[in-house]
Amino acid sequence: MSSDHPAHGLVPRPRAVQPRAGHVDLPDGAVVVAHPDLRAAARWWRRTCEDAFGVAWDERGPDTSGAVAFALDADLPAGGYALDVGDGRVDVRAPDAAGAHAAAQTLRQLLGPAAFRRAGTGPVRVPCVTISDAPRCGWRGVLLDVARHFLPKDGVLRMVDLAAAHKLNVLQLHLTDDQGWRVEIRSRPRLTEVGAWRTGSQRGALRDTPADATPHGGYYTQDDLREIVAYAAARGVTVVPEIDLPGHSQAAIAAYPELGMPGTAGAVGTAWGITDGVVRPTGATVEFFTDVLDEVLEVFDAPVIHLGGDEVPTTAWRDDGELVAHAAELGLSSVDGLHSWFVARLAAHLSARGRRAAVWDEALGPDLPAAAVVMSWRGVAQGAQAIAGGWDVVMAPEQFVYLDHRAADGPDEPVPVGFVRTVDDVYGFDVSPPPVRTALDASAPGRLLGAQAALWTEHLDSGRRVDYAAFPRLAAFAEAVWSDEAQRDLADFRRRLTTHHLPRLDAAGVEYRPETGPQPWQRRPGVPGRPRDLAEEWAEGGWAGMGGWREP
Ligand code: ACM
């Protein structure tokens, strides 16, 4: 079968594909049947195709027969599916809803770029094929920072669609930071009345650059967020909210100065970097944020809620006599221990309500509840350490999967920050690099759940800039977390990307980074970046990296 059979163009690459000649026509009136557990995926696929091709199909329960059937098959691996197209029928079997969603995305890709349009006309012809597929990782995430730059709700919904199209199943929304609080909390209205707005933004990545004079802001109401959660669920994506504490909290402190260290009240942040906007870790602030989390839990049904815990300067805590005494009373050897104490209190609150906390790796410590999920971002060693200590881990190392980092070397990249991470580099991301593999081989008590790419938005001030940073690198990441390690083949990925996948992204209206570099309007001449050199940092920090807050 020639390599232009649509089944040879799937991204991410499935485990086993047998393309055949011929196709199955699905005209008006075709019947789609689905087991109740798989109905959401079948419905999403039916509606997507009806819009894209201008057809009208019937949806029926599983007791009738249909040209398209989504059937439950408990023998298949979790999150996987089997697809058989031939003899006038499309048969999907899946062990769970997640597998049915993955199958639905494969079916959409088989229909070509036209299936990525929101309206159109034309016959639905599914090429004959047999596919069996299953994900490498259970957690296949992407983080979207909506705090540094607010992305209006439509942009978030669109990112959900694009994540799902790449078989990613977690969207972490970084909802709060120094520069903005973006989630409505009804019992603490000033969090958004004050905390969602700033007077300007630093342009570029040079420290001490004055902010421009353009106010920026916005937030999601609880109804907006419920809509996002439901929209994502209909596509097999879980939305994990992140309330970043106790650092990165300047916006909350601007709204409620009693949360912060005396003298740090100030305004919502306008500059990037690590700030003194750190919550004072006391019983009173724990209580404030448990109230906040209770509202977050009403809106988000994710089993995991992210509490942040990254980049927490503790310097000011050391000069605060009451905090020093508080730490001593708690039996902590130093006031720094209040960082993990504070996060652990909030994590325990989540546990008591049937949810798990996720934290960035700085919050790893003896106080961290065993049920917490650790996200390894400063490097890889931290994830290995957490696995060895019994925690479940999601790998998110900045050296490999931070997609706000520059996509190429050279002066034309817009606001070039971080390490050079080309499409090929991201494709080469190893979810379980040597330190993690060693921990897993030693039968460490913790598990590797998967991995997550990140779109931090200090320098991505619009949906168009997010597109440029995310694509096509997110497609490369998707294959790294979905496809079998043994089957990864960069040349084949590049062929599929160019021939099949970029046309899908074009049809979906994604303004990805061109292979040849940024278009003139995608550049930001004169806006300084802050490139980092991976080889240099690697030589010094190795698997642990060099990021995060360091004691001055
Ligand atoms: C992080 O990048 N500070 C998690």
Side-chain angles (χ1 to χ4, degrees):
M1 193 62 32
S2 79
S3 70
D4 56 6
H5 189 289
H8 283 307
L10 296 168
V11 174
R13 177 178 170 155
R15 279 199 185 168
V17 180
Q18 286 174 287
R20 290 192 301 277
H23 58 261
V24 171
D25 267 321
L26 296 173
D28 271 338
V31 173
V32 179
V33 301
H35 184 280
D37 292 0
L38 315 182
R39 190 173 290 149
R43 178 163 299 169
W44 171 83
W45 183 71
R46 175 176 64 76
R47 289 178 176 166
T48 301
C49 291
E50 285 178 338
D51 287 346
F53 295 99
V55 293
W57 295 339
D58 269 350
E59 184 181 313
R60 308 248 179 93
D63 330 333
T64 44
S65 61
V68 182
F70 283 69
L72 205 57
D73 182 345
D75 292 335
L76 294 173
Y81 64 93
L83 174 63
D84 200 5
V85 183
D87 296 331
R89 298 185 46 76
V90 174
D91 278 301
V92 173
R93 287 178 292 123
D96 49 27
H101 283 293
Q105 293 295 344
T106 295
L107 272 172
R108 185 196 202 184
Q109 289 198 5
L110 287 172
L111 294 173
F116 287 75
R117 300 190 182 277
R118 291 185 196 202
T121 54
V124 182
R125 315 194 114 178
V126 196
C128 293
V129 68
T130 300
I131 296 177
S132 96
D133 201 5
R136 175 166 189 221
C137 300
W139 184 306
R140 303 178 302 278
V142 57
L143 173 146
L144 182 61
D145 171 8
V146 291
R148 269 51 172 272
H149 279 99
F150 178 66
L151 187 65
K153 186 192 70 186
D154 268 358
V156 179
L157 297 173
R158 183 171 170 281
M159 185 51 81
V160 167
D161 272 325
L162 291 169
H166 291 85
K167 296 190 173 70
L168 301 179
N169 62 354
V170 174
L171 176 68
Q172 178 168 331
L173 283 183
H174 182 75
L175 286 165
T176 71
D177 213 299
D178 296 315
Q179 303 84 6
W181 181 282
R182 311 265 176 243
V183 44
E184 176 193 25
I185 300 296
R186 291 180 181 160
S187 66
R188 303 290 194 284
R190 286 174 59 81
L191 285 171
T192 45
E193 285 167 7
V194 174
W197 313 98
R198 63 176 186 252
T199 53
S201 307
Q202 174 187 322
R203 289 291 155 211
L206 290 189
R207 302 279 184 248
D208 304 323
T209 306
D212 66 16
T214 307
H216 179 84
Y219 67 94
Y220 310 105
T221 66
Q222 293 190 1
D223 286 342
D224 290 337
L225 292 164
R226 283 197 178 88
E227 178 188 353
I228 291 168
V229 167
Y231 188 87
R235 287 153 180 77
V237 175
T238 301
V239 183
V240 169
E242 180 188 353
I243 308 296
D244 198 355
L245 296 165
H248 288 287
S249 294
Q250 181 56 38
I253 294 167
Y256 293 97
E258 64 272 24
L259 295 173
M261 298 301 293
T264 61
V268 176
T270 58
W272 319 123
I274 302 175
T275 76
D276 295 332
V278 177
V279 170
R280 195 161 179 267
T282 64
T285 54
V286 166
E287 203 176 313
F288 182 101
F289 286 107
T290 54
D291 287 350
V292 167
L293 287 174
D294 283 342
E295 292 196 36
V296 169
L297 295 182
E298 281 174 25
V299 173
F300 293 91
D301 59 2
V304 172
I305 307 291
H306 206 296
L307 297 175
D310 59 322
E311 300 181 319
V312 184
T314 52
T315 321
W317 294 357
R318 287 181 216 148
D319 300 328
D320 183 317
E322 276 179 38
L323 282 186
V324 173
H326 176 47
E329 264 166 46
L330 292 167
L332 301 171
S333 60
S334 97
V335 80
D336 290 3
L338 288 171
H339 172 192
S340 60
W341 171 81
F342 183 82
V343 174
R345 294 278 66 68
L346 298 178
H349 186 77
L350 294 177
S351 297
R353 281 151 184 76
R355 312 285 185 102
R356 300 175 76 180
V359 296
W360 297 114
D361 60 58
E362 290 100 317
L364 184 57
D367 283 337
L368 188 67
V373 174
V374 175
M375 263 187 198
S376 190
W377 79 271
R378 285 179 298 171
V380 161
Q382 295 85 350
Q385 186 193 341
I387 289 172
W391 284 278
D392 287 350
V393 166
V394 173
M395 297 306 295
E398 65 167 352
Q399 296 84 353
F400 303 104
V401 294
Y402 271 26
L403 301 184
D404 53 313
H405 287 203
R406 54 208 168 112
D409 207 357
D412 287 343
E413 287 311 308
V415 201
V417 297
F419 308 121
V420 174
R421 292 287 87 195
T422 63
V423 172
D424 294 8
D425 291 332
V426 175
Y427 189 79
F429 168 58
D430 182 0
V431 179
S432 52
V436 170
R437 185 139 304 285
T438 304
L440 294 170
D441 287 349
S443 304
R447 293 174 301 170
L448 177 62
L449 301 183
Q452 187 163 286
L455 290 160
W456 299 102
T457 61
E458 288 93 331
H459 311 294
L460 310 181
D461 58 2
S462 69
R464 296 180 76 177
R465 287 284 288 114
V466 171
D467 269 12
Y468 180 90
F471 297 103
R473 292 184 294 175
L474 197 62
F477 173 78
E479 188 143 320
V481 288
W482 178 277
S483 304
D484 262 356
E485 184 68 14
Q487 285 190 323
R488 277 214 269 150
D489 175 339
L490 177 60
D492 182 64
F493 172 73
R494 286 212 146 274
R495 176 192 62 74
R496 280 177 285 125
L497 184 66
T498 309
T499 315
H500 296 267
H501 200 63
L502 294 182
R504 291 180 196 124
L505 296 181
D506 283 326
V510 176
E511 204 176 6
Y512 53 83
R513 179 187 185 278
E515 175 74 30
T516 48
Q519 303 281 8
W521 59 90
Q522 293 174 320
R523 298 174 196 161
R524 293 292 179 274
V527 184
R530 212 156 64 90
R532 292 164 67 187
D533 185 321
L534 187 54
E536 243 171 51
E537 295 200 22
W538 192 264
E540 198 172 341
W543 290 113
M546 296 292 295
W549 179 75
R550 276 157 203 269
E551 178 91 20

